[in-house]
Amino acid sequence: MREIHSLAELTSLVGQEVAVSDWVEISQQRINTFAEATGDMQWIHIDVERAQRESPFGAPIAHGFLTLSLLPMLMQNAIHISYLKMGVNYGLNKVRFPAPVPVGSKLRGRMKLLSVEEISGGAQMAWEISIEREGGDKPVCVAESIARIY
């Protein structure tokens, strides 16, 4: 866990990889729960037998948006900004899903701080977050995430 104690310390980290999260496993239950919550019931995610039979991946894969939805959890697992009262998601500038996430995969996030800008009452940060799969040769998600802290 990376501890950050001041805006000056945060600003000094621009351009650097700041933290790496712990691994999280992507189970079929997590995929099914996400499918139910979002209504995205495409067979490549939830029909195990058909995915094993017909999918080029040989197994169900996680939704890209499920992978993207892990960003807050991965960030909270890896970085603690001690002086903030609250943080909010401000949006995304760019998201890509370069590789699939087969069921049973373990994922973790690498966080690189791209910028910090002071705003009224706080700061706005841009992060490049690369989610990698254990044993994979390329990231499963790369996102530029914008967050505000107060």
Side-chain angles (χ1 to χ4, degrees), residues 1-2 4 10 13-24 67-81 107-115 125-132 139 141-147:
M1 170 78 63
R2 179 70 178 259
I4 300 171
L10 181 66
L13 299 171
V14 170
Q16 299 177 43
E17 181 176 275
V18 175
V20 178
S21 75
D22 292 336
W23 294 101
V24 60
T67 305
L68 183 64
S69 75
L70 299 174
L71 293 183
M73 178 188 66
L74 296 173
M75 290 284 291
Q76 289 174 10
N77 173 267
I79 300 169
H80 180 253
I81 301 174
L107 306 179
R108 71 176 175 187
R110 294 186 167 278
M111 294 81 180
K112 178 180 179 182
L113 184 58
L114 299 177
S115 66
M125 305 167 294
W127 293 91
E128 179 185 87
I129 305 168
S130 180
I131 302 177
E132 59 189 16
C141 178
V142 179
E144 187 175 317
S145 176
I146 310 302

Coordinates of all heavy atoms in Angstrom, one line a residue, residues 1-2 4 10 13-24 67-81 107-115 125-132 139 141-147:
M1 N 0.9 -1.2 0.0 CA 0.0 0.0 0.0 C 0.9 1.2 0.0 O 1.7 1.4 0.9 CB -0.9 0.0 1.2 CG -1.7 1.3 1.5 SD -3.1 1.6 0.5 CE -4.2 0.2 0.9
R2 N 0.7 2.1 -1.0 CA 1.4 3.3 -1.1 C 0.7 4.4 -0.3 O -0.5 4.7 -0.5 CB 1.6 3.8 -2.5 CG 2.3 5.1 -2.8 CD 3.8 4.9 -2.5 NE 4.6 6.0 -2.7 CZ 5.3 6.2 -3.8 NH1 5.4 5.3 -4.7 NH2 6.0 7.3 -3.9
I4 N 0.3 8.3 0.7 CA 0.6 9.7 0.2 C 0.0 10.7 1.3 O -1.2 10.6 1.6 CB 0.0 9.9 -1.2 CG1 0.6 8.9 -2.1 CG2 0.3 11.4 -1.6 CD1 0.0 8.9 -3.5
L10 N 2.1 14.1 -3.6 CA 1.4 13.6 -4.7 C 1.9 14.2 -6.0 O 2.2 13.4 -6.9 CB -0.1 13.9 -4.6 CG -1.1 13.4 -5.7 CD1 -1.1 11.9 -5.7 CD2 -2.4 14.0 -5.5
L13 N 5.0 12.8 -7.6 CA 5.0 11.5 -8.2 C 4.5 11.5 -9.7 O 4.5 10.4 -10.3 CB 4.0 10.6 -7.4 CG 4.4 10.4 -5.9 CD1 3.3 9.7 -5.1 CD2 5.7 9.6 -5.9
V14 N 4.2 12.7 -10.2 CA 3.8 12.7 -11.6 C 4.8 12.1 -12.5 O 6.0 12.4 -12.4 CB 3.4 14.2 -12.0 CG1 3.2 14.3 -13.5 CG2 2.2 14.7 -11.3
G15 N 4.3 11.3 -13.4 CA 5.2 10.6 -14.4 C 5.7 9.3 -13.9 O 6.4 8.6 -14.7
Q16 N 5.4 8.9 -12.7 CA 5.9 7.7 -12.1 C 4.8 6.6 -11.9 O 3.7 6.9 -11.7 CB 6.6 7.9 -10.7 CG 7.7 8.9 -10.7 CD 8.2 9.1 -9.3 OE1 8.3 8.2 -8.5 NE2 8.5 10.4 -9.0
E17 N 5.3 5.3 -11.9 CA 4.4 4.3 -11.5 C 4.3 4.4 -9.9 O 5.4 4.4 -9.3 CB 4.9 2.9 -11.9 CG 4.0 1.8 -11.4 CD 4.4 0.4 -11.8 OE1 4.0 0.1 -13.0 OE2 5.1 -0.3 -11.1
V18 N 3.2 4.7 -9.4 CA 3.0 5.0 -8.0 C 2.7 3.7 -7.2 O 3.2 3.6 -6.0 CB 1.9 6.0 -7.8 CG1 1.6 6.2 -6.3 CG2 2.2 7.3 -8.5
A19 N 2.0 2.8 -7.7 CA 1.6 1.6 -6.9 C 1.2 0.4 -7.8 O 0.8 0.7 -9.0 CB 0.5 2.0 -6.0
V20 N 1.2 -0.7 -7.3 CA 0.7 -2.0 -7.9 C -0.3 -2.6 -6.9 O 0.1 -2.8 -5.7 CB 1.8 -2.9 -8.3 CG1 1.2 -4.2 -8.9 CG2 2.8 -2.2 -9.2
S21 N -1.5 -3.0 -7.3 CA -2.4 -3.6 -6.4 C -2.1 -5.1 -6.2 O -1.3 -5.7 -6.8 CB -3.9 -3.4 -7.0 OG -4.0 -4.4 -8.0
D22 N -2.9 -5.6 -5.2 CA -2.9 -7.1 -5.0 C -3.6 -7.7 -6.2 O -4.4 -7.0 -6.9 CB -3.6 -7.4 -3.7 CG -2.8 -7.0 -2.5 OD1 -1.6 -6.8 -2.6 OD2 -3.4 -6.8 -1.4
W23 N -3.5 -9.0 -6.3 CA -4.2 -9.8 -7.3 C -5.7 -10.0 -6.9 O -6.0 -10.2 -5.7 CB -3.6 -11.1 -7.5 CG -2.2 -11.1 -8.1 CD1 -1.0 -11.2 -7.5 CD2 -1.9 -10.9 -9.5 NE1 0.0 -11.1 -8.3 CE2 -0.5 -10.9 -9.6 CE3 -2.6 -10.7 -10.7 CZ2 0.2 -10.7 -10.8 CZ3 -2.0 -10.5 -11.9 CH2 -0.6 -10.6 -11.9
V24 N -6.6 -10.0 -7.8 CA -8.0 -10.4 -7.6 C -8.4 -11.4 -8.6 O -8.1 -11.3 -9.8 CB -8.9 -9.1 -7.6 CG1 -8.9 -8.4 -9.0 CG2 -10.3 -9.4 -7.2
T67 N -14.2 -5.6 -16.1 CA -12.8 -5.3 -15.8 C -12.6 -3.9 -15.5 O -11.9 -3.5 -14.5 CB -11.9 -5.8 -17.1 OG1 -12.2 -7.1 -17.4 CG2 -10.5 -5.6 -16.8
L68 N -13.2 -3.0 -16.3 CA -13.1 -1.6 -16.0 C -13.6 -1.2 -14.7 O -13.1 -0.3 -14.0 CB -13.8 -0.8 -17.1 CG -13.7 0.7 -17.1 CD1 -12.3 1.2 -17.3 CD2 -14.6 1.3 -18.1
S69 N -14.7 -1.8 -14.3 CA -15.3 -1.5 -13.0 C -14.5 -1.8 -11.8 O -14.8 -1.4 -10.7 CB -16.7 -2.2 -12.8 OG -16.6 -3.6 -12.6
L70 N -13.4 -2.6 -12.0 CA -12.5 -2.9 -10.9 C -11.6 -1.8 -10.5 O -10.9 -1.8 -9.5 CB -11.6 -4.1 -11.3 CG -12.4 -5.4 -11.6 CD1 -11.4 -6.5 -12.1 CD2 -13.1 -5.9 -10.3
L71 N -11.5 -0.7 -11.4 CA -10.5 0.4 -11.1 C -10.6 0.9 -9.7 O -9.6 1.1 -9.0 CB -10.7 1.5 -12.1 CG -10.3 1.2 -13.6 CD1 -10.5 2.4 -14.4 CD2 -9.0 0.6 -13.7
P72 N -11.8 1.3 -9.2 CA -11.8 1.9 -7.8 C -11.3 0.9 -6.8 O -10.5 1.3 -5.9 CB -13.3 2.2 -7.6 CG -13.9 2.3 -9.0 CD -13.1 1.4 -9.8
M73 N -11.7 -0.4 -6.9 CA -11.2 -1.3 -5.9 C -9.7 -1.5 -6.0 O -9.0 -1.5 -5.0 CB -11.9 -2.7 -6.1 CG -11.4 -3.8 -5.2 SD -12.0 -5.4 -5.6 CE -11.2 -5.7 -7.2
L74 N -9.1 -1.6 -7.2 CA -7.7 -1.8 -7.4 C -7.0 -0.5 -6.8 O -5.9 -0.7 -6.2 CB -7.4 -2.0 -8.8 CG -7.9 -3.3 -9.4 CD1 -7.7 -3.4 -10.9 CD2 -7.4 -4.5 -8.7
M75 N -7.5 0.7 -7.1 CA -6.8 1.9 -6.6 C -6.9 1.9 -5.1 O -5.9 2.2 -4.4 CB -7.6 3.1 -7.1 CG -7.4 3.4 -8.6 SD -5.8 4.0 -9.0 CE -5.9 5.7 -8.4
Q76 N -8.0 1.6 -4.5 CA -8.1 1.6 -3.0 C -7.2 0.6 -2.4 O -6.8 0.8 -1.3 CB -9.6 1.4 -2.6 CG -10.4 2.6 -2.9 CD -11.9 2.4 -2.6 OE1 -12.3 1.4 -2.0 NE2 -12.8 3.3 -3.1
N77 N -7.0 -0.5 -3.1 CA -6.1 -1.6 -2.5 C -4.7 -1.1 -2.6 O -3.9 -1.6 -1.8 CB -6.4 -2.8 -3.4 CG -5.4 -3.9 -3.1 OD1 -4.4 -4.0 -3.7 ND2 -5.7 -4.7 -2.1
A78 N -4.3 -0.2 -3.5 CA -2.9 0.1 -3.7 C -2.4 1.4 -3.2 O -1.3 1.6 -2.9 CB -2.6 0.0 -5.2
I79 N -3.4 2.4 -3.0 CA -3.0 3.8 -2.7 C -3.9 4.3 -1.6 O -5.1 4.2 -1.7 CB -3.1 4.7 -3.9 CG1 -2.2 4.2 -5.1 CG2 -2.8 6.1 -3.6 CD1 -2.4 4.9 -6.4
H80 N -3.2 4.9 -0.6 CA -4.0 5.6 0.4 C -3.5 7.0 0.5 O -2.3 7.3 0.8 CB -3.8 4.9 1.8 CG -4.6 5.6 2.9 ND1 -3.9 6.3 3.9 CD2 -5.9 5.6 3.2 CE1 -4.9 6.8 4.7 NE2 -6.0 6.4 4.3
I81 N -4.4 8.0 0.2 CA -4.1 9.4 0.3 C -4.6 9.9 1.7 O -5.8 10.1 1.8 CB -4.6 10.2 -0.8 CG1 -4.1 9.6 -2.2 CG2 -4.3 11.7 -0.7 CD1 -4.7 10.2 -3.4
L107 N -6.1 -10.8 -11.7 CA -5.8 -9.5 -12.3 C -5.2 -8.6 -11.2 O -5.6 -8.7 -10.0 CB -7.1 -8.8 -12.9 CG -7.9 -9.6 -13.9 CD1 -9.1 -8.8 -14.3 CD2 -7.1 -10.0 -15.1
R108 N -4.4 -7.6 -11.6 CA -3.9 -6.6 -10.7 C -3.7 -5.3 -11.6 O -3.6 -5.4 -12.8 CB -2.7 -7.0 -10.0 CG -1.4 -7.0 -10.9 CD -0.2 -7.3 -10.0 NE 1.0 -7.5 -10.9 CZ 2.1 -7.9 -10.4 NH1 2.3 -8.2 -9.1 NH2 3.2 -8.0 -11.2
G109 N -3.7 -4.2 -10.9 CA -3.6 -2.9 -11.5 C -2.3 -2.3 -11.2 O -1.7 -2.3 -10.1
R110 N -1.7 -1.6 -12.2 CA -0.5 -0.8 -12.1 C -0.9 0.7 -12.4 O -1.6 0.9 -13.4 CB 0.6 -1.2 -13.1 CG 1.1 -2.5 -12.9 CD 2.3 -2.8 -13.9 NE 3.0 -4.0 -13.5 CZ 3.9 -4.1 -12.5 NH1 4.3 -3.0 -11.9 NH2 4.4 -5.2 -12.2
M111 N -0.6 1.5 -11.4 CA -1.1 2.9 -11.5 C 0.1 3.9 -11.7 O 1.0 3.9 -10.9 CB -1.8 3.3 -10.1 CG -3.0 2.6 -9.8 SD -2.7 1.0 -9.2 CE -4.3 0.3 -8.9
K112 N 0.0 4.6 -12.8 CA 1.0 5.6 -13.1 C 0.2 7.0 -13.1 O -0.8 7.2 -13.7 CB 1.5 5.4 -14.5 CG 2.5 6.5 -15.0 CD 3.1 6.2 -16.4 CE 4.0 7.2 -16.8 NZ 4.5 7.0 -18.2
L113 N 0.8 7.9 -12.3 CA 0.2 9.2 -12.2 C 0.6 10.1 -13.3 O 1.8 10.3 -13.5 CB 0.6 9.9 -10.8 CG 0.0 11.2 -10.5 CD1 -1.5 11.2 -10.5 CD2 0.5 11.7 -9.2
L114 N -0.3 10.5 -14.1 CA 0.0 11.3 -15.3 C 0.0 12.8 -15.0 O 0.8 13.6 -15.6 CB -1.0 11.1 -16.4 CG -1.1 9.6 -16.9 CD1 -2.2 9.5 -18.0 CD2 0.2 9.2 -17.5
S115 N -0.9 13.3 -14.2 CA -0.9 14.7 -13.9 C -1.7 15.0 -12.6 O -2.5 14.2 -12.2 CB -1.6 15.5 -15.0 OG -3.0 15.2 -15.1
M125 N -6.7 14.5 -10.6 CA -5.6 13.7 -11.0 C -5.9 12.9 -12.2 O -7.1 12.4 -12.3 CB -5.2 12.7 -9.8 CG -5.0 13.3 -8.5 SD -5.0 12.0 -7.2 CE -6.7 11.5 -7.2
A126 N -5.0 12.7 -13.1 CA -5.2 11.8 -14.2 C -4.2 10.6 -14.0 O -3.0 10.8 -13.7 CB -4.8 12.5 -15.5
W127 N -4.8 9.4 -14.0 CA -4.0 8.2 -13.8 C -4.1 7.3 -15.0 O -5.1 7.1 -15.6 CB -4.6 7.4 -12.7 CG -4.5 8.0 -11.3 CD1 -5.4 8.8 -10.7 CD2 -3.5 7.8 -10.4 NE1 -5.0 9.2 -9.5 CE2 -3.8 8.6 -9.2 CE3 -2.3 7.1 -10.4 CZ2 -3.0 8.6 -8.1 CZ3 -1.4 7.1 -9.3 CH2 -1.8 7.9 -8.2
E128 N -3.0 6.7 -15.4 CA -3.0 5.6 -16.4 C -3.0 4.3 -15.6 O -2.0 4.1 -14.8 CB -1.7 5.6 -17.3 CG -1.7 4.5 -18.3 CD -0.5 4.4 -19.1 OE1 0.5 3.8 -18.6 OE2 -0.4 5.1 -20.2
I129 N -4.0 3.5 -15.7 CA -4.1 2.3 -15.0 C -4.1 1.1 -16.0 O -4.9 1.1 -16.9 CB -5.4 2.3 -14.1 CG1 -5.4 3.5 -13.2 CG2 -5.5 0.9 -13.4 CD1 -6.7 3.7 -12.5
S130 N -3.1 0.3 -15.8 CA -3.0 -0.9 -16.7 C -3.3 -2.1 -15.8 O -2.7 -2.3 -14.8 CB -1.5 -0.9 -17.2 OG -1.4 -2.0 -18.0
I131 N -4.3 -2.8 -16.3 CA -4.7 -4.0 -15.6 C -4.1 -5.2 -16.3 O -4.3 -5.4 -17.5 CB -6.3 -4.2 -15.5 CG1 -6.9 -3.0 -14.8 CG2 -6.6 -5.5 -14.8 CD1 -8.4 -3.0 -14.7
E132 N -3.3 -6.0 -15.6 CA -2.6 -7.1 -16.2 C -3.2 -8.4 -15.6 O -3.7 -8.5 -14.5 CB -1.1 -7.0 -15.9 CG -0.7 -7.0 -14.5 CD 0.8 -6.7 -14.3 OE1 1.4 -6.2 -15.2 OE2 1.2 -6.9 -13.2
P139 N -1.6 -6.3 -21.4 CA -2.7 -5.9 -20.4 C -4.1 -6.3 -20.9 O -4.3 -6.4 -22.1 CB -2.6 -4.3 -20.4 CG -1.5 -3.9 -21.2 CD -0.9 -5.1 -21.9
C141 N -6.7 -4.4 -19.8 CA -7.4 -3.1 -19.8 C -6.3 -2.0 -19.6 O -5.5 -2.2 -18.7 CB -8.5 -3.1 -18.8 SG -9.4 -1.5 -18.7
V142 N -6.4 -1.0 -20.4 CA -5.6 0.2 -20.1 C -6.5 1.4 -20.2 O -7.3 1.6 -21.1 CB -4.5 0.4 -21.2 CG1 -3.7 1.6 -20.9 CG2 -3.6 -0.8 -21.2
A143 N -6.6 2.1 -19.1 CA -7.5 3.2 -19.0 C -6.8 4.5 -18.4 O -6.0 4.4 -17.5 CB -8.7 2.9 -18.0
E144 N -7.2 5.6 -18.9 CA -6.8 6.9 -18.4 C -8.0 7.4 -17.5 O -9.1 7.8 -18.1 CB -6.5 7.9 -19.4 CG -5.9 9.2 -18.8 CD -5.4 10.1 -19.9 OE1 -4.8 9.7 -20.9 OE2 -5.7 11.4 -19.7
S145 N -7.9 7.4 -16.2 CA -8.9 7.7 -15.3 C -8.7 9.0 -14.7 O -7.6 9.3 -14.2 CB -9.0 6.6 -14.2 OG -9.9 6.9 -13.2
I146 N -9.8 9.8 -14.6 CA -9.7 11.1 -13.9 C -10.4 11.1 -12.6 O -11.6 10.6 -12.6 CB -10.3 12.2 -14.8 CG1 -9.7 12.1 -16.3 CG2 -10.1 13.6 -14.2 CD1 -8.2 12.3 -16.4
A147 N -9.8 11.5 -11.6 CA -10.4 11.5 -10.2 C -10.1 12.8 -9.6 O -9.1 13.5 -9.8 CB -9.8 10.4 -9.4

